[in-house]
Amino acid sequence: MRGTTVLPGENDAAGRPGALPMHRLEVPMRDAVPFAIGTFDSIGPMARAAFPHRHTFYEIVHVTRGRGTHVTDLAHWPLRPPHLGFLVPGQVHHWEDAAGVDGSVVLFTEDFLLDHPGDRDLLRLLAERPWPTLGGSGAAGADRLLADLHEDYARGADACPSVLRALLHVLVVRAARLYGIGPAGRRRPPGARPGAVAGEFTRLIGLGDPALWSVRACAARIGVTPGHLTDAVKAATGRTPGQLVREARAHEAKRLLARTDLTVRQVAGRVGFDDAAYFCRFFRRETGVSPGDFRRGAEVRGGA
């Protein structure tokens, strides 16, 4: 498995200039397992990338030593190892002043969660949390599970994907318990309950892809009608899909304003606005400040 990165100024898969580097995992062979685990050194320089970037895959980071700061979206988290951190597709992150950072990095795609699709909900919730310092049994348990994942993955062609999936599932569930997140339960087909549909909708609009910022597009991706999607999201969240889409667009605009040198007009285009003035009104309505004021404030705060 190897990675590719779309850098600023290059074109992404949609043919747009890359505002934020996008890192992808490419499986070299049809039957290769879309999963990798290694040390920070063996995974490569992107494991400690000092520039804001995002992934199309999930990442679990087990930091056992080192100092510096991990920045996720707009939040700064100083390192106090050991940590067990989670990142989901579309999330923006980078490392600041990292020195001596070591541990394990686990990478896997959406397809790898087929045996335990409910883990997507837990991973999304875990990715919203800071990286607490592990202690006692929590640290020991993480060490054991990561060691088992390393050992089974190292078997190469003899590795059993179902064992890797099972170990990953245990790691995710135990981390959720450790961080006080309730069990997601066994996921039923998307049409079976409103919460499953709403969770998938939330995941899709969080990817930062303007093509998915519509009820119709998300409904088609999930496999339900737009009306069903609207009813399910309302039932599960008490809010309309339109409200959640507006929040997702504003959040993506914040990421771009704080982490790139794009002009306000370019940011407007990246989040789906042809009219920069209309975007400015939208952003002020959603955040309470203008795009320019937000960017200046992010520079002063370092994006915190």
Side-chain angles (χ1 to χ4, degrees), residues 116-153:
H116 303 283
D119 286 355
R120 290 183 299 182
D121 295 335
L122 291 179
L123 286 163
R124 178 174 54 82
L125 293 171
L126 286 164
E128 295 172 354
R129 303 294 180 93
W131 294 6
T133 299
L134 298 176
S137 60
D143 287 342
R144 288 194 299 271
L145 281 169
L146 268 297
D148 287 342
L149 281 166
H150 274 284
E151 179 181 354
D152 216 78
Y153 183 72

Side-chain angles (χ1 to χ4, degrees), residues 181-226:
I181 297 173
R186 185 176 180 84
R187 180 182 286 271
R188 304 171 188 170
R193 60 188 175 94
V197 174
E200 182 66 2
F201 173 74
T202 302
R203 184 187 72 82
L204 289 174
I205 64 175
L207 294 177
D209 182 356
L212 293 173
W213 288 334
S214 82
V215 175
R216 187 173 299 278
C218 285
R221 179 72 66 89
I222 296 170
V224 298
T225 66

